[in-house]
Amino acid sequence: MTARLPSLNGLRAFEAAARHLSFTQAAAELNVTQTAISHQIKRLEEELGVRLFVRQNRALTLTPQAVDYLPGIRAAFNDLRLATDRLLRKDDDHVLTVSTLASLAAKWLLPRLSAFQEAHLGIDVRITTSTNLVDFQRDNVDAAIRYGRGQWAGLRADWLMADELFPVCSPNLLKGSKPLKCPEDLRDHVLLHTSNFNSDDWRLWLTAAGLPADFSKQPGVTFDLIFMTVQAAIDGLGVAMGRSAYVEDDIAKGRLVVPFKITLPTDAGFYLVSPAGRTDPPKLSAFRQWLVASVQNKP
């Protein structure tokens, strides 16, 4: 004989109240009144013929029977949430969402994406940009391109490329009345800066080039995003401190030149990151294989 299932509303109230050990917090989570939670719990206890909570001195504790009952109820609700999530996301199986920095998307990732889409016509790629780290438990993101040392708890990190610092400028700037033959010649030019995490790049490179660190404090122009800094250099506004990932295409196409041979390697690089310990969906597996191969096979 199959046992009759108790009220679903009662079970939801029980699971939430047991998790919070509070009718008030359970009511807030389920968007009902505290009285409603109390009535649902009471009705559930009557259906089961079992007392679930002990209420005393404003404290709420579980009875031994409730402690035994809770894991199964919690697992059942988790299964319902996962099944619902899979149902609602089924239509998005062909959509791959990748998070990265705006400048890296504009100067490095987007110019390469056409090759991926030509090879994988059934996958739609969505690019989101943010300076915040992705929360894979909360954000609807499949993977992210992250800068660092590759050590992030709970994440799989696939190495993409290193980063190097070196000045870049428009070819026209080299043909002007104040040529750039050695680093000291930078005194006659506007230095272009990027704020936030790139704000120290000029100081680091100038120190490596044997120039005083305060050399970087001469009048210049500062931008919020590195792709704006790079574009200002292309337009001949001044000399920018380039990072290889952001300027390699412009150098290859002749929009930028590297006036000096001094480059400064950084102690970090770019990684493709995704949640560890889970099987990749086909769309992510295809993107990872393509991206890693594309950076390894670049000229």
Side-chain angles (χ1 to χ4, degrees), residues 68-81:
D68 291 338
Y69 192 43
L70 179 61
I73 299 303
R74 182 165 291 163
F77 275 107
N78 284 337
D79 286 343
L80 285 172
R81 293 186 187 101

PDB file of all heavy atoms in Angstrom, residues 68-81:
ATOM      1  N   ASP A  68      15.588  13.006  11.756  1.00  0.00           N
ATOM      2  CA  ASP A  68      15.660  11.872  10.831  1.00  0.00           C
ATOM      3  C   ASP A  68      14.928  12.153   9.521  1.00  0.00           C
ATOM      4  O   ASP A  68      15.321  11.665   8.462  1.00  0.00           O
ATOM      5  CB  ASP A  68      15.049  10.627  11.494  1.00  0.00           C
ATOM      6  CG  ASP A  68      15.901  10.092  12.641  1.00  0.00           C
ATOM      7  OD1 ASP A  68      17.117  10.399  12.663  1.00  0.00           O
ATOM      8  OD2 ASP A  68      15.351   9.398  13.508  1.00  0.00           O
ATOM      9  N   TYR A  69      13.868  12.945   9.597  1.00  0.00           N
ATOM     10  CA  TYR A  69      13.011  13.200   8.441  1.00  0.00           C
ATOM     11  C   TYR A  69      13.604  14.246   7.498  1.00  0.00           C
ATOM     12  O   TYR A  69      13.442  14.167   6.276  1.00  0.00           O
ATOM     13  CB  TYR A  69      11.652  13.670   8.957  1.00  0.00           C
ATOM     14  CG  TYR A  69      10.528  13.733   7.952  1.00  0.00           C
ATOM     15  CD1 TYR A  69      10.330  12.710   7.017  1.00  0.00           C
ATOM     16  CD2 TYR A  69       9.629  14.803   7.952  1.00  0.00           C
ATOM     17  CE1 TYR A  69       9.282  12.762   6.119  1.00  0.00           C
ATOM     18  CE2 TYR A  69       8.568  14.859   7.052  1.00  0.00           C
ATOM     19  CZ  TYR A  69       8.401  13.834   6.139  1.00  0.00           C
ATOM     20  OH  TYR A  69       7.352  13.890   5.250  1.00  0.00           O
ATOM     21  N   LEU A  70      14.330  15.222   8.065  1.00  0.00           N
ATOM     22  CA  LEU A  70      14.787  16.380   7.303  1.00  0.00           C
ATOM     23  C   LEU A  70      15.688  16.043   6.117  1.00  0.00           C
ATOM     24  O   LEU A  70      15.486  16.596   5.028  1.00  0.00           O
ATOM     25  CB  LEU A  70      15.493  17.375   8.239  1.00  0.00           C
ATOM     26  CG  LEU A  70      16.049  18.631   7.579  1.00  0.00           C
ATOM     27  CD1 LEU A  70      14.937  19.439   6.917  1.00  0.00           C
ATOM     28  CD2 LEU A  70      16.797  19.490   8.606  1.00  0.00           C
ATOM     29  N   PRO A  71      16.717  15.164   6.241  1.00  0.00           N
ATOM     30  CA  PRO A  71      17.613  14.936   5.086  1.00  0.00           C
ATOM     31  C   PRO A  71      16.878  14.476   3.831  1.00  0.00           C
ATOM     32  O   PRO A  71      17.176  14.923   2.716  1.00  0.00           O
ATOM     33  CB  PRO A  71      18.585  13.871   5.603  1.00  0.00           C
ATOM     34  CG  PRO A  71      18.585  14.062   7.083  1.00  0.00           C
ATOM     35  CD  PRO A  71      17.182  14.439   7.436  1.00  0.00           C
ATOM     36  N   GLY A  72      15.901  13.591   3.995  1.00  0.00           N
ATOM     37  CA  GLY A  72      15.160  13.114   2.835  1.00  0.00           C
ATOM     38  C   GLY A  72      14.318  14.207   2.196  1.00  0.00           C
ATOM     39  O   GLY A  72      14.238  14.303   0.964  1.00  0.00           O
ATOM     40  N   ILE A  73      13.694  15.039   3.036  1.00  0.00           N
ATOM     41  CA  ILE A  73      12.883  16.144   2.507  1.00  0.00           C
ATOM     42  C   ILE A  73      13.774  17.151   1.790  1.00  0.00           C
ATOM     43  O   ILE A  73      13.452  17.644   0.702  1.00  0.00           O
ATOM     44  CB  ILE A  73      12.096  16.828   3.637  1.00  0.00           C
ATOM     45  CG1 ILE A  73      11.147  15.825   4.290  1.00  0.00           C
ATOM     46  CG2 ILE A  73      11.343  18.036   3.117  1.00  0.00           C
ATOM     47  CD1 ILE A  73      10.172  15.183   3.327  1.00  0.00           C
ATOM     48  N   ARG A  74      14.913  17.472   2.405  1.00  0.00           N
ATOM     49  CA  ARG A  74      15.836  18.439   1.787  1.00  0.00           C
ATOM     50  C   ARG A  74      16.351  17.914   0.452  1.00  0.00           C
ATOM     51  O   ARG A  74      16.427  18.652  -0.533  1.00  0.00           O
ATOM     52  CB  ARG A  74      16.995  18.708   2.749  1.00  0.00           C
ATOM     53  CG  ARG A  74      17.997  19.725   2.254  1.00  0.00           C
ATOM     54  CD  ARG A  74      18.883  20.185   3.394  1.00  0.00           C
ATOM     55  NE  ARG A  74      18.137  20.975   4.359  1.00  0.00           N
ATOM     56  CZ  ARG A  74      18.555  21.245   5.603  1.00  0.00           C
ATOM     57  NH1 ARG A  74      19.704  20.763   6.024  1.00  0.00           N
ATOM     58  NH2 ARG A  74      17.815  21.979   6.396  1.00  0.00           N
ATOM     59  N   ALA A  75      16.699  16.623   0.396  1.00  0.00           N
ATOM     60  CA  ALA A  75      17.187  16.032  -0.857  1.00  0.00           C
ATOM     61  C   ALA A  75      16.097  16.068  -1.924  1.00  0.00           C
ATOM     62  O   ALA A  75      16.367  16.327  -3.105  1.00  0.00           O
ATOM     63  CB  ALA A  75      17.646  14.600  -0.614  1.00  0.00           C
ATOM     64  N   ALA A  76      14.849  15.832  -1.523  1.00  0.00           N
ATOM     65  CA  ALA A  76      13.746  15.842  -2.479  1.00  0.00           C
ATOM     66  C   ALA A  76      13.562  17.240  -3.076  1.00  0.00           C
ATOM     67  O   ALA A  76      13.362  17.386  -4.288  1.00  0.00           O
ATOM     68  CB  ALA A  76      12.457  15.381  -1.798  1.00  0.00           C
ATOM     69  N   PHE A  77      13.632  18.266  -2.232  1.00  0.00           N
ATOM     70  CA  PHE A  77      13.487  19.627  -2.743  1.00  0.00           C
ATOM     71  C   PHE A  77      14.669  20.021  -3.628  1.00  0.00           C
ATOM     72  O   PHE A  77      14.500  20.725  -4.631  1.00  0.00           O
ATOM     73  CB  PHE A  77      13.323  20.629  -1.598  1.00  0.00           C
ATOM     74  CG  PHE A  77      11.905  20.758  -1.127  1.00  0.00           C
ATOM     75  CD1 PHE A  77      11.498  20.224   0.076  1.00  0.00           C
ATOM     76  CD2 PHE A  77      10.962  21.399  -1.910  1.00  0.00           C
ATOM     77  CE1 PHE A  77      10.184  20.329   0.503  1.00  0.00           C
ATOM     78  CE2 PHE A  77       9.639  21.519  -1.498  1.00  0.00           C
ATOM     79  CZ  PHE A  77       9.243  20.976  -0.289  1.00  0.00           C
ATOM     80  N   ASN A  78      15.862  19.567  -3.280  1.00  0.00           N
ATOM     81  CA  ASN A  78      17.023  19.844  -4.138  1.00  0.00           C
ATOM     82  C   ASN A  78      16.842  19.188  -5.504  1.00  0.00           C
ATOM     83  O   ASN A  78      17.188  19.775  -6.544  1.00  0.00           O
ATOM     84  CB  ASN A  78      18.302  19.345  -3.477  1.00  0.00           C
ATOM     85  CG  ASN A  78      18.771  20.256  -2.366  1.00  0.00           C
ATOM     86  OD1 ASN A  78      18.427  21.439  -2.342  1.00  0.00           O
ATOM     87  ND2 ASN A  78      19.542  19.734  -1.439  1.00  0.00           N
ATOM     88  N   ASP A  79      16.319  17.961  -5.508  1.00  0.00           N
ATOM     89  CA  ASP A  79      16.073  17.284  -6.785  1.00  0.00           C
ATOM     90  C   ASP A  79      15.041  18.039  -7.617  1.00  0.00           C
ATOM     91  O   ASP A  79      15.175  18.152  -8.847  1.00  0.00           O
ATOM     92  CB  ASP A  79      15.594  15.852  -6.534  1.00  0.00           C
ATOM     93  CG  ASP A  79      16.721  14.930  -6.080  1.00  0.00           C
ATOM     94  OD1 ASP A  79      17.893  15.299  -6.258  1.00  0.00           O
ATOM     95  OD2 ASP A  79      16.411  13.844  -5.555  1.00  0.00           O
ATOM     96  N   LEU A  80      14.007  18.565  -6.944  1.00  0.00           N
ATOM     97  CA  LEU A  80      12.996  19.344  -7.653  1.00  0.00           C
ATOM     98  C   LEU A  80      13.598  20.606  -8.255  1.00  0.00           C
ATOM     99  O   LEU A  80      13.289  20.980  -9.399  1.00  0.00           O
ATOM    100  CB  LEU A  80      11.863  19.714  -6.695  1.00  0.00           C
ATOM    101  CG  LEU A  80      10.883  18.594  -6.326  1.00  0.00           C
ATOM    102  CD1 LEU A  80       9.950  19.067  -5.215  1.00  0.00           C
ATOM    103  CD2 LEU A  80      10.062  18.178  -7.541  1.00  0.00           C
ATOM    104  N   ARG A  81      14.466  21.282  -7.476  1.00  0.00           N
ATOM    105  CA  ARG A  81      15.097  22.505  -7.989  1.00  0.00           C
ATOM    106  C   ARG A  81      15.981  22.199  -9.194  1.00  0.00           C
ATOM    107  O   ARG A  81      15.974  22.929 -10.189  1.00  0.00           O
ATOM    108  CB  ARG A  81      15.924  23.164  -6.878  1.00  0.00           C
ATOM    109  CG  ARG A  81      15.085  23.708  -5.723  1.00  0.00           C
ATOM    110  CD  ARG A  81      15.946  24.482  -4.738  1.00  0.00           C
ATOM    111  NE  ARG A  81      15.195  24.867  -3.551  1.00  0.00           N
ATOM    112  CZ  ARG A  81      15.246  24.244  -2.379  1.00  0.00           C
ATOM    113  NH1 ARG A  81      16.045  23.203  -2.234  1.00  0.00           N
ATOM    114  NH2 ARG A  81      14.526  24.659  -1.362  1.00  0.00           N
TER     115      ARG A  81
END
